[in-house]
Amino acid sequence: MADDAVTGDVSSEAAAGALAYLTEMSPDLRGAAIVDPGGVVLAASGDADRWREDAAALFDVADRTGDEPVEQIHIGTEQGEVLALRHAGLTAVAVTERFALASLTFFDMRSLLRDLAGETTQSTFTPQEGGKSRRRRRSGGSDAA
Amino acid sequence: MPPKPHRVLFDRVSGYADEGAAFMRRRRALRRPFARLYYGGGRAEDHAVDSTAGGELFVAAGRLIEVAGKRPKS
């Protein structure tokens, strides 16, 4: 089911809202993009064309390594971490600082893609009442001791 | 004379905090670059940096990191 195509059209506004939510939730996030099943960037922080090309290249390389399509990619380097996820034909790619809370970020990305794909009745990324910050605390811990 | 109860509590809490900080420091020092791919059904595969596939994955990831740039100051 994970790679079934999305049933309805996903608007750029909805994707931009999802991206804003992800950015708010993840203080370690440097940038992210959401790409539709046709390879069109629905929302991105920065150069959309570069995101499209580089995200496609990443999944292309990843798919070539095995005999089935990759669902999720997590690469950690000295410069940062790349998290990429495909769900219902949509793709979310995020770049974070090193040692980010990867499983939580993946969880948020998956929730957003489910919302965008219309699999949930209640949106994950509607603004919260009262203007409370939903921002998670930074990962890592103290360097003391 | 036994220590005051709150001193015991403080010592214990700061002991746990020290343990946690040391764990995080070791984790930072030991963690090496990695490339992990997840497939349907929960199967995962690691690719070493010096393998062909791993090298290509790191190059592709490096480009994405370059596109994302630095974290915006809040």
Side-chain angles (χ1 to χ4, degrees), chain A residues 5-69:
Chain A
V6 61
T7 48
D9 283 343
V10 179
S11 72
S12 296
E13 289 78 21
L19 201 64
Y21 174 83
L22 189 67
T23 307
E24 186 190 354
M25 283 296 288
S26 313
D28 291 314
L29 194 81
R30 283 195 212 159
I34 297 173
V35 184
D36 84 351
V40 176
V41 175
L42 295 168
S45 55
D47 187 343
D49 285 339
R50 284 285 312 272
W51 276 105
R52 178 176 51 77
E53 286 167 20
D54 294 338
L58 177 69
F59 273 102
D60 187 44
V61 170
D63 284 341
R64 273 193 279 120
T65 62
D67 49 6
E68 61 178 312

Side-chain angles (χ1 to χ4, degrees), chain A residues 27 30 50-51 54 61 64-65 68-72 74-77 81 95 97-99 138 140 144-145, chain B residues 21 24-25 28 31 33-40 43 53 56-58 61 63-69 71:
Chain A
R30 283 195 212 159
R50 284 285 312 272
W51 276 105
D54 294 338
V61 170
R64 273 193 279 120
T65 62
E68 61 178 312
V70 172
E71 198 171 278
Q72 197 172 294
H74 185 193
I75 299 174
T77 73
E81 298 196 9
V95 174
E97 299 290 325
R98 286 191 80 197
F99 312 115
R138 274 182 63 78
Chain B
M24 292 305 299
R25 209 173 54 249
R28 280 170 194 266
R31 199 162 163 191
F34 62 90
R36 201 163 294 141
L37 306 180
Y38 298 85
Y39 298 89
R43 187 169 69 86
E56 287 182 88
L57 286 168
F58 278 101
R63 288 203 196 103
L64 281 164
I65 290 169
E66 192 184 302
V67 177
R71 186 160 58 97

Side-chain angles (χ1 to χ4, degrees), chain B:
Chain B
M1 186 176 166
K4 290 181 179 176
H6 71 278
R7 292 292 309 168
V8 175
L9 189 64
F10 284 160
D11 288 349
R12 183 163 292 187
V13 169
S14 59
Y16 286 141
D18 287 348
E19 288 279 337
F23 169 79
M24 292 305 299
R25 209 173 54 249
R26 281 197 300 274
R27 178 174 175 259
R28 280 170 194 266
L30 293 175
R31 199 162 163 191
R32 298 277 180 260
F34 62 90
R36 201 163 294 141
L37 306 180
Y38 298 85
Y39 298 89
R43 187 169 69 86
E45 251 177 35
D46 272 342
H47 292 274
V49 186
D50 51 3
S51 68
T52 311
E56 287 182 88
L57 286 168
F58 278 101
V59 170
R63 288 203 196 103
L64 281 164
I65 290 169
E66 192 184 302
V67 177
K70 295 284 177 198
R71 186 160 58 97
K73 302 275 182 207
S74 53

Side-chain angles (χ1 to χ4, degrees), chain A residues 111-142:
Chain A
S111 301
L112 297 178
L113 291 189
R114 279 187 179 151
D115 273 2
L116 291 173
E119 289 177 11
T120 53
T121 51
Q122 195 171 9
S123 176
T124 306
F125 49 88
T126 49
Q128 197 176 44
E129 285 176 28
K132 283 183 190 170
S133 174
R134 292 164 296 193
R135 186 165 267 237
R136 230 178 255 126
R137 293 186 63 188
R138 274 182 63 78
S139 61
S142 168

